[in-house]
Amino acid sequence: KQEVTQIPAALSVPEGENLVLNCSFTDSAIYNLQWFRQDPGKGLTSLLLIQSSQREQTSGRLNASLDKSSGRSTLYIAASQPGDSATYLCAVISEGYSTLTFGKGTMLLVSP
Amino acid sequence: DARVTQTPRHKVTEMGQEVTMRCQPILGHNTVFWYRQTMMQGLELLAYFRNRAPLDDSGMPKDRFSAEMPDATLATLKIQPSEPRDSAVYFCASGLDWSHRFFGPGTRLTVL
C-alpha cells in the first residue's frame, strides 16, 4: 500500500527566503506526482504535475523535482512571499491505479 | 475557465438526517473522485468513477454512504443516516485518465 510522507509538517520563514518542502513515497511504481496548494477553508489548487519519466517541472517561482527510484520529491519556492502562506500537499498516482494518495501536507507561513 | 462545482458549500444537519452532496465535474473528464478531509486523517478517498462506472468505493462506509453518477455531468454522495463522526469537508475531483486532478471547493458538513 502506497504511503506518502511530507516533512516538515509546518514551516515558518521570513519573506524573501528560498525554501524546500519534502515529500517521500514508499512505492516507486508511480505514474506521476502532483503538488497542490490549499488555502484555509478552500479547495485544492494544482501547482505542478511531474510524470514518472520526468525529473522536474517549473512554474514561475516554483520548481518541483522527482527522484522516482528513491521515492522522493521536493518543491522549491524561490523568494517566498506572504501570499505563499498555505498548506502544500503532495500526492502520487501509483501504477495500476487512477487515484491519488496524499501526504498530510506542510503548513507554510511566510511572515512579512 | 472550466472548474469542478459542488453544492452545497456548507451543510449543518442533525444526527440521523439524510445528506446529499452534488458535484459537477469538468466537461470531458472521464474520472470522478470523492474525497473526505479531516484534521486527523487528512484526505481520504471515498469513491472513484471512470466513465461513470464505480471502480473503487472501498474507502466508503457502505452501510450509510452511497455514491452515484446518474449522468456525465452529475455525481452525488449520499449519507443516510448521518452521524457526528461524518463531520468533515467532502471534496469532489475530476480528471482525464492519469493526468491532472482538479478539485472542487468542497462541502463542509457538520452533523450535530
Side-chain angles (χ1 to χ4, degrees):
Chain A
K1 180 187 172 188
Q2 179 74 268
E3 292 184 2
V4 180
T5 303
Q6 291 187 246
I7 295 173
L11 180 63
S12 182
V13 300
E15 181 177 8
E17 271 204 11
N18 302 325
L19 58 99
V20 174
L21 308 182
N22 296 292
C23 171
S24 62
F25 43 97
T26 54
D27 186 351
S28 62
I30 64 169
Y31 282 126
N32 59 46
L33 182 145
Q34 200 166 353
W35 282 94
F36 292 88
R37 168 187 172 137
Q38 186 175 29
D39 293 284
K42 303 291 186 182
L44 280 69
T45 301
S46 177
L47 297 173
L48 291 164
L49 181 145
I50 311 177
Q51 301 292 353
S52 61
S53 58
Q54 297 175 321
R55 297 285 293 183
E56 65 178 329
Q57 282 285 332
T58 298
S59 175
R61 293 182 295 108
L62 305 180
N63 175 277
S65 68
L66 174 65
D67 184 343
K68 183 182 164 184
S69 60
S70 67
R72 295 174 190 267
S73 175
T74 62
L75 180 66
Y76 175 82
I77 302 177
S80 58
Q81 303 171 358
D84 295 330
S85 298
T87 296
Y88 290 81
L89 293 147
C90 164
V92 299
I93 297 181
S94 302
E95 288 183 9
Y97 296 88
S98 290
T99 58
L100 285 165
T101 302
F102 281 89
K104 293 283 178 67
T106 294
M107 186 181 301
L108 173 65
L109 177 63
V110 182
S111 51
Chain B
D1 185 22
R3 61 184 65 189
V4 177
T5 58
Q6 290 185 245
T7 57
R9 295 292 311 278
H10 302 272
K11 177 72 175 180
V12 180
T13 191
E14 293 189 348
M15 182 174 62
Q17 296 298 305
E18 178 179 300
V19 175
T20 298
M21 290 169 270
R22 294 177 173 81
C23 166
Q24 182 172 7
I26 292 174
L27 191 64
H29 282 184
N30 63 349
T31 54
V32 175
F33 308 84
W34 283 104
Y35 285 89
R36 176 171 61 185
Q37 186 177 40
T38 60
M39 287 292 291
M40 292 298 295
Q41 301 297 328
L43 276 156
E44 302 173 285
L45 178 71
L46 295 175
Y48 153 48
F49 294 82
R50 184 177 178 84
N51 297 323
R52 293 178 54 205
L55 290 191
D56 184 356
D57 60 1
S58 58
M60 204 164 64
K62 309 260 188 330
D63 57 336
R64 299 184 300 108
F65 284 60
S66 61
E68 296 180 346
M69 273 202 79
D71 62 61
T73 64
L74 177 64
T76 62
L77 180 66
K78 189 175 296 186
I79 308 174
Q80 167 64 12
S82 57
E83 298 181 0
R85 60 179 167 150
D86 301 330
S87 297
V89 182
Y90 292 80
F91 287 105
C92 175
S94 71
L96 191 60
D97 295 321
W98 290 272
S99 66
H100 284 270
R101 300 289 184 253
F102 295 89
F103 280 72
T107 294
R108 183 173 297 274
L109 174 65
T110 302
V111 183
L112 303 174

